[in-house]
């Protein structure tokens, strides 16, 4: 990609849900790969605006959706469409725009990419006030629409699907401002992976049913879901990614010490694409980025108990597009596993459906959109 412009691209994310940071990292990788004259600068809003409360705010967010899911769901639905209530609540969330402005003035970026709705709102507000005049791109990291992603001074929206693009058009956004590239992913998800090689790396058999469990690190899977895996009559290969939750990792190692299954209990993993590539099924919470990663690797999904809000939106997409299985509780998880073990054709059909929705090069496509906006902005200044 030929583009001689130099400068910095500001990537604004937030640790309120890891998917936003994952997309920011994916875009940082792509900028380095395809636009080496540009320097990506990634900033976490929670750290920038409230550094002392960064970890606390992330913890409170996770606790609120776990302990008070109905309240979270109510607020999500109440603010889905722009209203007086949603506007007032949103004005509270985007307090701290001055900190962003100081950052922008310090690093002087040539474009801003937001991967979190509050970041998108802050940048739109600054543009509306005339304080910022550079291209602003928003990457929506879920499969459903919500008013907090939509702002009057956003120059371009990057969305997961054509269906979501149509929804945004329906609420009044011009079609030329929306690109259905898919959700940008890290470079590993665009590469072909040798199943034989990865299985050898982890001491697994490429011929045995393999279940990958993700999302447990945040405590979103009940313990009984893990315990009931022992009720499966067919021994399987089981990989459980615990993230940075060492307490969960230790407890699962004890729980599966004498398991009939071939179990790997893992901490934080930076090569999820490899694990997905060798998995027959990925059991996870329906986060938009994780879903996109599984689709890219052709790894059928099993999602459990979606929380009210964006997880329900994402689960609806899974159901409508036939790219995975749904379960409402631990018993249904085991029932779905038994079903696919008896009838592998179910997973073959899901993989065929996934091919229709694969967008392995969304990060590169987003780079192209950004470059076009920057060129247009440069031409306007010259004119």
């Amino acid at each position: 990609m030929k583009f001689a412009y130099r400068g910095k691209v500001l990537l604004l994310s937030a640790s309120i849900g890891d998917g936003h940071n994952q997309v920011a990292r994916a875009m940082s990788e792509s900028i380095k790969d395809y636009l080496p004259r540009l320097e990506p600068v990634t900033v976490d809003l929670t750290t920038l605006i409230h550094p002392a409360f960064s970890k606390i705010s992330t913890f409170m967010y996770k606790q609120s959706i776990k302990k008070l899911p109905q309240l979270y769901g109510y607020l999500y639905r109440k603010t889905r469409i722009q209203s007086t209530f949603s506007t007032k609540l949103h004005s509270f969330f985007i307090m701290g725009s001055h900190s962003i402005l100081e950052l922008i003035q310090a690093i002087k970026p040539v474009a801003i990419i937001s991967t979190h709705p509050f970041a998108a709102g802050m940048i739109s507000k600054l543009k509306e006030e005339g304080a910022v005049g550079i291209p602003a791109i928003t990457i929506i990291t879920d499969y459903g629409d919500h008013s907090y992603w939509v702002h009057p001074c956003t120059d371009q929206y990057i969305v997961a699907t054509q269906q979501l693009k149509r929804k945004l058009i329906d609420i009044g956004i011009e079609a030329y401002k929306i690109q259905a590239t898919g959700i940008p992913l890290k470079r590993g998800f665009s590469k072909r992976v040798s199943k034989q090689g990865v299985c050898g790396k982890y001491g697994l058999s490429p011929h045995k049913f393999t279940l990958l469990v993700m999302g447990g690190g945040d405590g979103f899977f009940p313990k009984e879901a893990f315990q009931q895996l022992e009720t499966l009559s067919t021994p399987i290969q089981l990989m459980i990614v615990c993230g940075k939750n060492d307490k969960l990792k230790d407890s699962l190692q004890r729980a599966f010490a004498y398991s009939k299954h071939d179990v790997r209990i893992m901490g934080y993993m930076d090569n999820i694409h490899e694990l997905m590539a060798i998995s027959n099924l990925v059991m996870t919470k329906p986060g938009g980025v994780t879903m996109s990663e599984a689709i890219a690797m052709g790894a059928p999904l099993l999602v459990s108990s979606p929380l009210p809000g964006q997880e329900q939106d994402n689960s609806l997409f899974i159901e409508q597009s036939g790219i995975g299985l749904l379960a409402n509780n631990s018993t249904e998880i085991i029932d779905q596993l038994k079903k696919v073990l008896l009838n592998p054709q179910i997973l073959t059909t899901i993989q065929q459906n996934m091919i229709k929705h694969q967008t392995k090069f969304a990060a590169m496509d987003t780079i192209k959109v950004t470059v076009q906006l920057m060129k247009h902005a440069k031409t306007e200044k010259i004119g």
Side-chain angles (χ1 to χ4, degrees), residues 178-327:
I178 314 164
Q179 297 293 328
T181 65
I183 297 174
L185 304 175
K186 293 172 71 176
R187 67 170 73 94
F189 293 93
S190 64
K191 296 178 180 179
R192 187 179 295 275
V193 176
S194 165
K195 184 172 183 178
Q196 194 85 23
V198 176
C199 283
K201 178 178 177 179
Y202 292 101
L204 298 169
S205 167
H207 309 294
K208 197 171 180 180
F209 185 94
T210 303
L211 173 65
L212 171 62
V213 181
M214 297 173 56
D218 291 325
F220 286 118
F221 283 117
K223 287 184 179 179
E224 57 266 25
F226 294 116
Q227 294 168 346
Q228 289 189 29
L229 289 171
E230 288 301 311
T231 66
L232 293 174
S233 57
T234 305
I236 65 172
Q237 293 178 145
L238 176 61
M239 298 183 291
I240 304 177
V241 178
C242 300
K244 298 176 181 179
N245 191 335
D246 293 334
K247 184 178 179 180
L248 174 65
K249 184 180 178 182
D250 291 342
S251 67
L252 289 177
Q253 284 176 334
R254 291 192 297 271
F256 284 103
Y258 302 102
S259 175
K260 71 176 72 172
H261 306 301
D262 188 356
V263 184
R264 303 289 188 279
I265 310 295
M266 303 170 172
Y268 177 80
M269 303 294 289
D270 199 35
N271 56 340
I272 293 297
H273 63 285
E274 289 186 347
L275 304 186
M276 287 185 171
I278 64 173
S279 299
N280 298 92
L281 192 64
V282 177
M283 187 171 97
T284 184
K285 299 299 288 181
V289 177
T290 302
M291 285 168 53
S292 295
E293 291 173 345
I295 293 169
M297 302 311 295
L301 289 157
L302 170 57
V303 299
S304 171
S305 306
L307 295 165
Q310 59 267 42
E311 284 196 5
Q312 287 185 335
D313 289 346
N314 295 339
S315 294
L316 182 61
F317 176 78
I318 291 172
E319 188 174 28
Q320 290 176 340
S321 57
I323 61 167
L325 305 169
L326 306 182

Side-chain angles (χ1 to χ4, degrees), residues 79-233:
T79 56
R80 181 187 287 276
I81 298 173
Q82 190 171 11
S83 64
T84 302
F85 175 76
S86 69
T87 302
K88 286 182 178 179
L89 187 60
H90 188 257
S91 64
F92 170 77
F93 289 129
I94 65 171
M95 288 171 61
S97 298
H98 63 280
S99 298
I100 299 293
L101 181 57
E102 289 173 3
L103 173 70
I104 293 170
Q105 291 170 337
I107 70 172
K108 297 179 175 57
V110 293
I112 301 173
I113 300 175
S114 299
T115 67
H116 192 278
F118 299 160
M122 290 178 184
I123 297 305
S124 178
K125 181 182 178 185
L126 291 173
K127 291 195 71 170
E128 195 171 9
E129 294 171 349
V132 173
I134 58 177
I137 301 98
T138 293
I139 302 174
I140 299 179
T141 58
D142 285 297
Y143 284 73
D145 61 308
H146 193 280
S147 68
Y148 284 177
W149 283 109
V150 178
H151 303 284
C153 294
T154 298
D155 296 299
Q156 196 76 51
Y157 294 92
I158 303 298
V159 301
T161 65
Q162 289 291 339
Q163 180 184 10
L164 182 51
K165 177 176 179 176
R166 288 192 292 271
K167 286 182 179 180
L168 295 186
I169 292 172
D170 288 343
I171 62 174
I173 300 174
E174 298 94 329
Y176 74 88
K177 287 188 174 182
I178 314 164
Q179 297 293 328
T181 65
I183 297 174
L185 304 175
K186 293 172 71 176
R187 67 170 73 94
F189 293 93
S190 64
K191 296 178 180 179
R192 187 179 295 275
V193 176
S194 165
K195 184 172 183 178
Q196 194 85 23
V198 176
C199 283
K201 178 178 177 179
Y202 292 101
L204 298 169
S205 167
H207 309 294
K208 197 171 180 180
F209 185 94
T210 303
L211 173 65
L212 171 62
V213 181
M214 297 173 56
D218 291 325
F220 286 118
F221 283 117
K223 287 184 179 179
E224 57 266 25
F226 294 116
Q227 294 168 346
Q228 289 189 29
L229 289 171
E230 288 301 311
T231 66
L232 293 174
S233 57

Side-chain angles (χ1 to χ4, degrees), residues 1-8 28-40 367 371:
M1 187 184 300
K2 293 182 179 179
F3 186 64
Y5 209 35
R6 296 177 182 272
K8 297 177 180 178
S28 179
E29 275 188 354
S30 289
I31 292 169
K32 291 174 184 176
D33 288 345
Y34 302 111
L35 299 173
R37 294 192 178 194
L38 290 179
E39 178 188 351
I367 290 292
V371 166

